[in-house]
Amino acid sequence: MNLFNLSNVKKEFGDRCLFKNVSFSISDTDKIGLIGANGTGKTTLFKILLGQMDATAGEVFRNKQTVIGYLEQHTNLTSDKTVLGEVLTVFDDVIAMEEELHLIAAQIEAGTGDLALLTARQQQLMEQFTKRNGYTYKSRARSSLLGLGFRENELDASFAHLSGGQKTRVALCKLLLSGANLLLLDEPTNHLDLDSVEWLEAYLRDYKGAFCLISHDRYFLDKVTNRTFALEYEKVTIYEGNYTAYLKQKEENDKVLTRRYENTKREISRLEGIVRQQRQWNREKNIKTAESKLKAIARLKEGLEAPNADGPSVHFTLHARPGGGQDVLILQDVSMAFGDSSLFDHLDLTLKKGNRMFLLGPNGCGKTTLFKLIMGSLRQRDGLIKLGTNIVVGWYDQTQSDLHLNKTVFEEIADAHPRLTQTEIRNALAAFLFRGDEVFAPISELSGGERARVSLAKLMLSDVNFLLLDEPTNHLDIASREALEKALEGYDGTCLIVSHDRYFINRLAHSICYMQPDGLSVYQGDYDYFAEKQKQTMPLQKTTDAVNDSGAAGRDAYRKQKQEAAELRKRENERKKMETEIESTENRLAEIDNLLADETIAADYEKAQLLTEEAEELNEQLLALYEKWDTLADA
């Protein structure tokens, strides 16, 4: 079933055309990735689908059965409820049915009202309640919030006190539970840590409806999409497959288009030569031949499609300050707390020269705080943080707090690097797509992506040999991310990088450092290697710059590993046992639903009442089982 059909849609703002001749359909099984550079009109296309904005030309057909759920990039959601309470508003109709079922059960038990009417209404409600998965709505809401990175003690927190990122996660949770058959998701992985992104991937892979998502996360796109809509050169080109498949098809299509264009140009040139020759002879027969060839030339020119010229792109190089010792950064038993609240303890690490290390860990574990400790803007509670000899640090802050909103782009660079000439500053900014009068734009009026490019320009011009990069790909489109990747691949200094961009990590990482409250663990490899090791049951291995399991320390570590592995097996067995109990309980609930659907039993007040009471008791048991299962799964 087609949910949407677009035919020759065009959108203009004043004299600027965002896109034209856009035609596509969205079926109820499509998993679409909508990609394109920042500013090409992806969010505008979403708003046309939503009916929030009219197209300049063309037709948009929406199936009457299409139910859309939309996640904005920046949510405007407000609420006076708790986190869980706000998510449960998705099930207001289910909650209303549940309350009415309790009321009817009480009336039947008290013998008040018309028994036949009450029983009929009860039967009708129970069918609707079952269809809406009413028995599990609370546990599904809770499990979804936990999957998206909320902790158990945060579910009862006030929604109004959440950060912008947390509010976006609540909005995403509501959307996933809404029952829509088409999800429009604008940058859904923003504000999610890696565990939450992987949870969302699993959810979307199993999602029964269709979705179209805007994302610059190439790894995420590869995992969840089966079609790619590329918005570029004022048109949408459809590719079957995920992002990697799109790259291969686009490369092949570009080759075919270039070959066809060159062959057509050669043919036009050949025919024009014939026309010139025939005109020189100037006989009647020659004139007719020339006219015939001119018509052929006109047809060829009409169908001539030039290859898309690559537009301006970010392009820069990074060079490290000469010198510096082999030990770039040393952490020895570093601990940090805010007041009485401990953030992390016992961090040990030695980072060697030339290493590109990625610092991973769940949101809130202290990655950015560790960067601030290294930079000296915060002071650790305990332990030693030491930079190597002649090591100079450059820091990219994901919040762009180093930028001055009252300055222009040009002033920001000129004040940070006073020795540069105007020409050198303009050349540097041109590499980051700030040209002409754009260099005099106020920082306060720039988008997040533009501010990110200004920060990267400042960093490129800095005389440093150790880069601390905190989420450097945030706000960057795919082309800018690729430019950053290329620059870092050629960088001859040392990098410590916080990132949730797994594609970016896989391309650059020499090693992965995983951060937990009680220490750091290092893996020599890329993200895929790290993820594979994470799946194994052995606990994360503590390390400095090398693993040493010799002597008593090795024996103690071995005993600890055996003990923790045994505990893990025990929890796994308990979880499997719990799953069996859940399945048995759900089966009995299904049996009760079928029995209550029987008109004979529904008419028997005592039997119906007993079955209803048993169903309510089983629902309570099921919720308790779900909670225990979640606890075991988390462990």
Side-chain angles (χ1 to χ4, degrees):
M1 178 179 73
N2 275 352
L3 303 176
F4 263 103
N5 280 307
L6 273 69
S7 178
N8 295 319
V9 168
K10 180 180 183 180
K11 184 60 183 177
E12 294 175 323
F13 288 104
D15 295 334
R16 185 191 175 201
C17 177
L18 275 182
F19 45 79
K20 58 189 175 183
N21 300 323
V22 172
S23 300
F24 61 76
S25 61
I26 300 177
S27 79
D28 55 2
T29 58
D30 281 341
K31 319 293 184 186
I32 300 165
L34 176 58
I35 63 172
N38 288 338
T40 53
K42 301 184 296 297
T43 299
T44 299
L45 185 56
F46 267 16
K47 290 183 177 180
I48 290 174
L49 292 175
L50 288 160
Q52 296 178 1
M53 190 177 286
D54 293 328
T56 306
E59 296 181 353
V60 179
F61 170 75
R62 174 175 172 176
N63 193 312
K64 292 180 179 179
Q65 297 182 41
T66 302
V67 181
I68 298 179
Y70 176 46
L71 177 72
E72 296 181 82
Q73 191 170 355
H74 305 289
T75 182
N76 296 316
L77 182 63
T78 59
S79 173
D80 59 357
K81 296 180 171 60
T82 65
V83 171
L84 181 58
E86 178 56 33
V87 171
L88 289 176
T89 60
V90 172
F91 302 107
D92 280 346
D93 61 323
V94 178
I95 294 170
M97 283 189 277
E98 188 177 47
E99 290 172 351
E100 189 176 351
L101 281 169
H102 285 308
L103 180 61
I104 291 172
Q107 288 177 305
I108 292 174
E109 185 176 0
T112 59
D114 187 315
L115 180 60
L117 289 177
L118 288 172
T119 305
R121 178 57 178 163
Q122 185 185 56
Q123 174 64 27
Q124 180 188 21
L125 280 173
M126 290 188 74
E127 288 178 1
Q128 295 174 6
F129 191 71
T130 302
K131 190 175 181 180
R132 285 283 279 125
N133 296 313
Y135 296 113
T136 60
Y137 76 93
K138 290 179 182 176
S139 58
R140 284 188 290 127
R142 181 179 167 279
S143 296
S144 296
L145 282 167
L146 295 174
L148 287 170
F150 285 96
R151 299 185 181 91
E152 185 71 45
N153 61 357
E154 293 175 324
L155 302 189
D156 294 324
S158 170
F159 177 86
H161 295 155
L162 298 181
S163 68
Q166 289 173 316
K167 288 179 179 178
T168 300
R169 282 190 277 148
V170 172
L172 176 58
C173 187
K174 289 180 65 177
L175 185 63
L176 297 178
L177 297 168
S178 67
N181 59 5
L182 173 61
L183 301 179
L184 300 180
L185 309 174
D186 196 346
E187 295 287 359
T189 60
N190 282 3
H191 313 296
L192 299 184
D193 61 19
L194 283 171
D195 289 340
S196 299
V197 171
E198 289 175 350
W199 180 90
L200 179 59
E201 283 174 353
Y203 188 100
L204 291 177
R205 281 198 299 268
D206 295 335
Y207 184 65
K208 302 304 180 185
F211 61 78
C212 181
L213 60 91
I214 296 170
S215 181
H216 299 305
D217 187 332
R218 296 155 290 177
Y219 200 102
F220 180 69
L221 288 166
D222 270 350
K223 289 287 187 180
V224 301
T225 61
N226 59 21
R227 300 182 80 193
T228 300
F229 289 6
L231 179 49
E232 49 192 358
Y233 313 114
E234 299 182 356
K235 64 181 180 179
V236 172
T237 307
I238 312 298
Y239 298 87
E240 297 303 321
N242 61 14
Y243 178 77
T244 297
Y246 146 77
L247 288 178
K248 293 177 181 177
Q249 292 175 55
K250 184 177 186 301
E251 182 181 10
E252 187 59 35
N253 288 353
D254 288 346
K255 287 179 181 178
V256 171
L257 186 60
T258 300
R259 194 181 306 121
R260 184 185 301 145
Y261 177 78
E262 291 173 349
N263 289 341
T264 304
K265 291 285 285 184
R266 278 196 293 269
E267 179 62 10
I268 290 172
S269 180
R270 186 184 71 83
L271 291 174
E272 287 175 340
I274 294 174
V275 169
R276 286 193 299 271
Q277 183 185 62
Q278 296 296 320
R279 281 175 171 171
Q280 285 176 354
W281 293 341
N282 199 27
R283 298 174 183 172
E284 183 178 351
K285 181 178 179 181
N286 303 127
I287 292 172
K288 288 182 179 180
T289 300
E291 289 175 349
S292 173
K293 298 303 180 186
L294 283 171
K295 290 179 182 178
I297 291 170
R299 286 195 300 271
L300 288 173
K301 285 184 175 179
E302 185 179 354
L304 186 62
E305 184 179 357
N308 294 311
D310 291 332
S313 60
V314 176
H315 179 74
F316 65 102
T317 56
L318 289 166
H319 297 290
R321 177 191 182 98
Q326 289 300 310
D327 292 342
V328 174
L329 173 68
I330 298 173
L331 306 180
Q332 291 181 355
D333 201 26
V334 174
S335 299
M336 184 61 185
F338 293 100
D340 296 330
S341 178
S342 176
L343 185 60
F344 50 73
D345 293 290
H346 312 303
L347 302 191
D348 292 293
L349 178 72
T350 299
L351 181 60
K352 295 291 187 179
K353 185 176 183 179
N355 197 343
R356 287 197 300 266
M357 177 180 283
F358 280 80
L359 180 63
L360 308 186
N363 285 346
C365 70
K367 300 184 293 294
T368 299
T369 299
L370 179 59
F371 273 19
K372 291 179 179 179
L373 294 176
I374 296 169
M375 291 297 297
S377 57
L378 287 177
R379 177 72 179 172
Q380 67 269 26
R381 181 181 62 185
D382 296 303
L384 172 69
I385 299 177
K386 182 182 178 182
L387 292 173
T389 306
N390 295 324
I391 297 299
V392 182
V393 184
W395 183 24
Y396 175 91
D397 180 7
Q398 64 168 315
T399 64
Q400 286 122 28
S401 61
D402 62 318
L403 300 182
H404 302 83
L405 300 182
N406 59 330
K407 294 182 180 181
T408 66
V409 174
F410 186 90
E411 290 169 345
E412 186 71 33
I413 302 299
D415 292 348
H417 302 285
R419 296 183 179 180
L420 296 180
T421 65
Q422 286 198 18
T423 301
E424 288 171 331
I425 293 172
R426 278 187 167 274
N427 288 340
L429 287 173
F432 289 88
L433 306 185
F434 293 103
R435 297 183 171 91
D437 290 341
E438 292 173 346
V439 302
F440 301 117
I443 299 290
S444 59
E445 296 180 7
L446 300 183
S447 67
E450 289 168 331
R451 292 184 188 184
R453 286 190 270 126
V454 175
S455 289
L456 286 171
K458 286 177 68 176
L459 193 63
M460 177 193 73
L461 297 167
S462 300
D463 187 21
V464 300
N465 49 21
F466 179 28
L467 295 179
L468 294 178
L469 307 178
D470 192 1
E471 297 289 0
T473 61
N474 276 8
H475 309 296
L476 296 182
D477 58 27
I478 290 176
S480 298
R481 292 180 186 208
E482 290 174 345
L484 177 60
E485 288 164 356
K486 187 175 181 180
L488 289 174
E489 279 180 326
Y491 182 60
D492 50 351
T494 308
C495 300
L496 183 60
I497 307 170
V498 172
S499 179
H500 293 145
D501 186 337
R502 293 160 294 173
Y503 202 101
F504 180 68
I505 299 171
N506 267 344
R507 181 166 172 180
L508 293 171
H510 294 148
S511 58
I512 305 289
C513 181
Y514 190 72
M515 189 171 184
Q516 293 175 299
D518 60 345
L520 300 172
S521 304
V522 173
Y523 299 80
Q524 300 301 326
D526 60 12
Y527 178 80
D528 286 340
Y529 174 81
F530 159 75
E532 184 61 34
K533 289 297 180 182
Q534 282 281 79
K535 291 177 184 177
Q536 298 177 6
T537 59
M538 298 302 284
L540 292 172
Q541 194 172 41
K542 297 292 178 62
T543 181
T544 52
D545 58 330
V547 177
N548 182 4
D549 285 333
S550 62
R555 290 191 294 273
D556 288 343
Y558 176 72
R559 281 194 295 269
K560 183 180 178 183
Q561 288 175 352
K562 285 192 67 176
Q563 180 182 355
E564 292 187 3
E567 289 175 359
L568 187 63
R569 285 194 298 270
K570 180 181 177 182
R571 286 195 296 269
E572 179 65 16
N573 290 334
E574 290 176 358
R575 188 174 65 84
K576 289 179 179 177
K577 182 180 177 182
M578 200 70 63
E579 288 172 352
T580 302
E581 290 185 48
I582 288 172
E583 184 178 4
S584 175
T585 306
E586 288 175 338
N587 289 339
R588 177 54 184 161
L589 279 170
E591 287 178 16
I592 292 174
D593 286 343
N594 291 331
L595 289 170
L596 289 171
D598 189 318
E599 293 181 2
T600 306
I601 293 176
D604 187 329
Y605 163 71
E606 291 186 0
K607 284 186 179 179
Q609 181 63 24
L610 287 171
L611 287 170
T612 300
E613 290 174 357
E614 184 184 353
E616 290 177 353
E617 192 175 313
L618 287 171
N619 276 315
E620 293 296 326
Q621 293 175 13
L622 190 61
L623 287 175
L625 287 169
Y626 276 131
E627 289 177 2
K628 290 179 181 177
W629 185 90
D630 283 336
T631 302
L632 288 169
D634 289 343

